[in-house]
Amino acid sequence: MLIQCVAMVPALAVIYLLAAFHFPVTYLTAALVQGALAALITYKWDLAPWWRPIQFLFPVAVLAALGLHLPSWLFLLLFLLLLGLYWSTFRTQVPYYPSNPVVWDAVRQLLPVDRPLHLIDIGSGLGGLTLYLARQRPDARCTGIELAPLPFLYSWLRAKLVRSPARFKLGDYERLDFAEYDMVFAYLSPAAMGALWRKAAAEMRPGSMLISYEFIVDPATAGRMPDHAIDATEGGPALYVWYF
Ligand SMILES: C[S@@+](CC[C@H](N)C(=O)[O-])C[C@H]1O[C@@H](n2cnc3c(N)ncnc32)[C@H](O)[C@@H]1O
């Protein structure tokens, strides 16, 4: 958005220049000029290449959306829904996308059965894994922590409705003490793995385990390979397990 705002100044200059030379300036011309300049700034500011087509097409998409004459409250509603779902993804670089019941069961099979456990899904999304583990392991304390308010609210309500003993917290897992847990499950993103490893290595107790779905910690950062890499689904991403 900042880049689009910055691009508006040179875009206005270009549009006035085009008009001065009697070039027919329509809203579409203006949107294309604005998009091209925003894409150029994106390139100059060295953002990831996939931002360039997004920046180029954004003003045209705005124009097309205006053409649909949708009520303005719909934009606010969509914005609030997306805000509630993605919240601070711009900072964490971990958006919401769910794992599935096959993965949840593979996690269950990795858990020791000889003692009561305290389990946590850090970034619990809609709460699927936490509720599943609470159902399958009534002897375990199952917690989910989620930063985004909408998925948190959904999982908290689900737990209340099905009378699950699973607990859901709204908050940042970086503020937790991992020493409280026997198993920490993470389905995050490559950007989060380095910091997650440093926290886990500093805080997790001997005998506890860290499980990451799909994303490995770079062995150069961790100084070791995962103890297990398990294919929960055929051809799908692996579950990585580290014991402390
Ligand atoms: C890829 S989803 C995984 C959802 C769920 N664990 C599952 O397996 O279906 C990652 C979730 O982590 C949440 N998240 C990202 N950073 C977080 C943080 N620092 N603290 C708590 N939750 C976070 C995101 O909002 C998102 O819902």
Side-chain angles (χ1 to χ4, degrees):
M1 282 312 296
L2 180 65
I3 286 177
Q4 289 289 342
C5 293
V6 171
M8 227 174 252
V9 179
L12 271 177
V14 172
I15 288 160
Y16 273 112
L17 219 63
L18 289 175
F21 286 99
H22 304 293
F23 189 89
V25 177
T26 62
Y27 282 124
L28 182 62
T29 328
L32 290 171
V33 170
Q34 163 81 20
L37 286 166
L40 185 70
I41 296 172
T42 304
Y43 166 70
K44 285 281 176 206
W45 284 6
D46 219 14
L47 266 77
W50 46 265
W51 274 113
R52 291 173 214 160
I54 294 178
Q55 294 284 25
F56 179 65
L57 292 175
F58 181 75
V60 182
V62 170
L63 204 59
L66 285 175
L68 295 175
H69 301 292
L70 298 170
S72 52
W73 58 260
L74 197 63
F75 291 94
L76 179 63
L77 184 70
L78 268 175
F79 172 72
L80 292 177
L81 279 176
L82 291 174
L83 183 69
L85 182 59
Y86 291 108
W87 205 240
S88 36
T89 298
F90 64 90
R91 173 177 69 79
T92 61
Q93 299 194 44
V94 184
Y96 171 71
Y97 34 84
S99 54
N100 59 67
V102 181
V103 174
W104 307 341
D105 200 59
V107 172
R108 178 193 62 79
Q109 290 177 43
L110 286 164
L111 300 175
V113 287
D114 57 340
R115 56 200 155 101
L117 302 168
H118 193 184
L119 318 171
I120 187 154
D121 180 0
I122 52 168
S124 46
L126 301 184
L129 171 75
T130 314
L131 289 166
Y132 179 79
L133 292 179
R135 248 191 339 268
Q136 299 295 321
R137 287 292 301 262
D139 61 319
R141 271 196 295 159
C142 301
T143 306
I145 183 163
E146 174 55 54
L147 198 55
L150 213 55
F152 158 75
L153 196 63
Y154 183 85
S155 54
W156 182 83
L157 277 174
R158 265 177 97 184
K160 292 273 168 256
L161 282 176
V162 299
R163 295 178 196 280
S164 168
R167 286 185 57 222
F168 289 97
K169 296 179 182 178
L170 178 65
D172 190 333
Y173 70 77
E174 287 174 16
R175 290 169 182 243
L176 294 176
D177 181 0
F178 282 1
E180 288 177 25
Y181 306 98
D182 301 288
M183 188 281 287
V184 173
F185 173 85
Y187 184 24
L188 299 173
S189 84
M193 298 313 286
L196 172 64
W197 178 261
R198 284 186 287 280
K199 183 170 173 60
E203 296 175 1
M204 289 189 75
R205 276 184 283 110
S208 62
M209 65 206 284
L210 172 68
I211 303 181
S212 170
Y213 180 48
E214 187 164 347
F215 306 111
I216 192 170
V217 179
D218 182 358
T221 305
R224 59 188 266 202
M225 293 295 288
D227 295 293
H228 298 299
I230 294 156
D231 292 324
T233 49
E234 216 180 281
L239 270 173
Y240 299 101
V241 186
W242 294 265
Y243 293 105
F244 289 88

